[in-house]
Amino acid sequence: MTESRNCRTLCESADVVVLGAGPAGLVLGNLLVAAGIDCVVLERADRSHIQTRARAGFLAPNTVRVLDRHGLAEGIHRHGRTHGTCEFRTAEGRFRLDYAALGRGEQHTVYPQQNLVTDLLARYLDAGGRIRFGTEALAVHDADGAAPYVTTREPDGRPARWDARYVAGCDGRHGAARRSLPPGAVRHRHDYGVSWLGLLAEAPPSLDAVGYAVHDRGFAGHMARSPQITRYYLQCGRGLPADAWSEERIWDELDLRMRAADHGPLHRGPIIERCVVDLACDVVDSLRHGSLLLAGDAASLTAPAAAKGANLAVLEAELLAGALAEALAQGNGAALDRYSTQCLAYIWRAQEFTQWMTGLLHAIPGQDPDEGSFFHGSLRRARLDSLRTSRAHQDWFAENYVGV
Ligand code: RFL
């Protein structure tokens, strides 16, 4: 690192400065290094934090194909488990959709996001990739000008600056890339008004399917993560503190909403992690702002109802790597404009299906003066009934559920 003549700030440079070491940033970093492009990843957290942060777990078949294309799916094939069934539980009973046998006949691979991040990081370091942990990007400057740069706070607290030809904003929903968008940039937002208490239980899965319970008390969800760990969701009131409910209350509520008395008990165990997720989404109007390119959650947030976020992040990272390689080789940004247009089409498809799923699983506050209204409740029941009985509807569901 060198001392800048002008600003007494530590200065470094890379052709592409990647902000964030989540799925988007690490897939991108791997592909840039493989293409021989000079890049660095700047990550605010430390290594152990990103390798243990539990989030997504359901990888779409196309995500696995993307990672396979670049030799990044070894861990997934070794430890991931394929998964192709979901079960809906309602007051009328339960039904299963074997979605692996519907639509395009594809299934998910269950592989925890923290394991994917660990694999991607190991591959990146093995290939000689540069990464700085504990380095927080503060802002992206001059993205529309000739000399873009990123200001950072180094692990020892000192300010620094990274000069770049391009900056890839892969630093998620609260990152510096989003904060650095020009004043005219538009983010289209939608808040479903619904919140989930997200739980990780040290307990084996209770059913061999993703479980979606639609209940007057609110939605409950069950998703396997590993033979020992299960993710559960409970719809809760907006603003509920994550630690408000005791473990006993959580399990009792899960039992009620999942209708354990009718369909079999849930395997209980200690709750090892909790968070509250407000179901909201947003999409930027363009993923390109001069030399600043957005990917993953920095570009669009999807509510977790249809598990699209991590899958979009991987897809976008692959497209961005190709576009950056072309832009650097040709010295113009046409490929980067195409990157934005192409991704927005995928993003809006994912948002559309997510909205459909969110509407299927919850009473949406504000949709009607009376939340539990007969009208909207009846529509939801009709939609579930159609999904239970119509092969055409099931094929449509399966195609969208596993695809992006
Ligand atoms: P990430 O994973 O948030 O990574 C961003 C990285 O940037 C770092 N960072 C910064 N670094 C430097 N300077 C700054 N100023 C920085 N600010 C932030 C952060 O420390 C982090 O390491 O974004 P990325 O790569 O775009 O990946 C997106 C996915 O993580 C996200 O979409 C999914 O986790 C969403 N999601 C799910 N997606 C699925 O596809 N399937 C699922 O089953 C699924 N389940 C979930 C989820 C998200 C959840 N949370 C976050 C509420 C379950 C949960 C509970």
Side-chain angles (χ1 to χ4, degrees):
M1 196 175 270
T2 57
E3 193 102 345
S4 148
R5 263 167 297 156
N6 301 331
C7 53
R8 301 190 64 75
T9 298
L10 302 169
C11 270
E12 286 207 65
S13 67
D15 280 346
V16 181
V17 171
V18 179
L19 310 183
L26 287 172
V27 169
L28 179 62
N30 271 288
L31 303 198
L32 294 177
V33 167
I37 293 170
D38 170 39
C39 69
V40 66
V41 177
L42 307 181
E43 167 58 50
R44 180 177 60 186
D46 62 28
R47 182 172 181 172
S48 73
H49 181 76
I50 65 162
Q51 295 192 154
T52 51
R53 191 171 41 197
R55 287 182 168 181
F58 275 68
L59 300 180
N62 190 55
T63 304
V64 179
R65 279 195 290 274
V66 168
L67 295 168
D68 254 337
R69 261 201 291 281
H70 305 286
L72 298 172
E74 205 181 299
I76 295 174
H77 291 306
R78 197 169 321 138
H79 303 293
R81 285 161 303 113
T82 51
H83 190 283
T85 310
C86 56
E87 179 172 304
F88 292 88
R89 295 183 176 186
T90 71
E92 287 74 36
R94 64 174 167 176
F95 65 91
R96 287 191 156 212
L97 289 186
D98 185 7
Y99 61 83
L102 295 161
R104 285 192 299 256
E106 296 189 304
Q107 53 195 336
H108 285 113
T109 303
V110 182
Y111 194 61
Q113 182 170 324
Q114 66 272 30
N115 297 8
L116 175 64
V117 164
T118 301
D119 295 352
L120 292 169
L121 177 60
R123 286 298 301 269
Y124 180 69
L125 293 171
D126 281 352
R130 280 194 289 165
I131 184 162
R132 292 289 172 82
F133 290 107
T135 300
E136 182 180 9
L138 300 175
V140 181
H141 304 264
D142 207 18
D144 279 324
Y149 63 97
V150 180
T151 47
T152 62
R153 184 165 30 234
E154 297 299 294
D156 61 7
R158 283 187 297 170
R161 137 181 192 150
W162 283 84
D163 293 328
R165 291 173 72 183
Y166 292 105
V167 179
C170 303
D171 50 350
R173 56 182 72 189
H174 303 300
R178 279 185 165 226
R179 289 197 302 272
S180 304
L181 292 179
V186 178
R187 264 164 55 195
H188 306 281
R189 297 166 205 251
H190 179 69
D191 187 341
Y192 292 102
V194 168
S195 297
W196 284 1
L197 182 57
L199 305 156
L200 271 186
E202 202 173 276
S206 300
L207 53 157
D208 58 349
V210 173
Y212 296 113
V214 180
H215 198 282
D216 287 346
R217 298 175 68 88
F219 164 74
H222 161 286
M223 283 126 215
R225 283 294 184 261
S226 74
Q228 301 81 27
I229 304 285
T230 307
R231 188 175 271 296
Y232 286 97
Y233 292 110
L234 276 173
Q235 184 179 352
C236 62
R238 193 46 70 89
L240 181 86
D243 58 359
W245 293 0
S246 68
E247 295 205 4
E248 198 185 357
R249 168 146 190 218
I250 287 169
W251 285 111
D252 288 349
E253 198 65 41
L254 283 167
D255 270 350
L256 263 178
R257 297 189 194 182
M258 303 275 311
R259 299 179 169 86
D262 299 333
H263 306 308
L266 303 178
H267 299 302
R268 294 190 174 201
I271 304 291
I272 53 174
E273 211 178 284
R274 341 163 148 216
C275 63
V276 172
V277 188
D278 293 335
L279 270 63
C281 60
D282 65 21
V283 184
V284 289
D285 60 338
S286 172
L287 280 65
R288 180 184 184 199
H289 294 274
S291 305
L292 171 60
L293 291 311
L294 304 180
D297 280 8
S300 74
L301 273 182
T302 44
K308 298 296 184 200
N311 293 296
L312 279 172
V314 171
L315 174 68
E316 289 161 18
E318 186 195 42
L319 294 171
L320 181 54
L324 282 168
E326 205 175 316
L328 285 164
Q330 297 181 353
N332 75 61
L336 299 172
D337 288 330
R338 282 200 304 279
Y339 160 72
S340 177
T341 311
Q342 202 175 356
C343 288
L344 283 169
Y346 291 121
I347 288 169
W348 283 112
R349 279 291 299 271
Q351 295 289 3
E352 195 277 327
F353 184 67
T354 299
Q355 179 172 42
W356 182 89
M357 274 296 276
T358 307
L360 182 77
L361 302 175
H362 312 85
I364 305 284
Q367 210 173 41
D368 193 282
D370 169 14
E371 275 174 32
S373 84
F374 181 82
F375 184 78
H376 286 286
S378 303
L379 289 184
R380 233 177 19 261
R381 271 191 295 282
R383 193 182 276 190
L384 279 159
D385 200 43
S386 168
L387 196 56
R388 184 175 62 79
T389 54
S390 157
R391 173 67 198 241
H393 203 170
Q394 292 170 358
D395 283 330
W396 172 88
F397 170 82
E399 191 172 317
N400 282 275
Y401 192 56
V402 297
V404 170

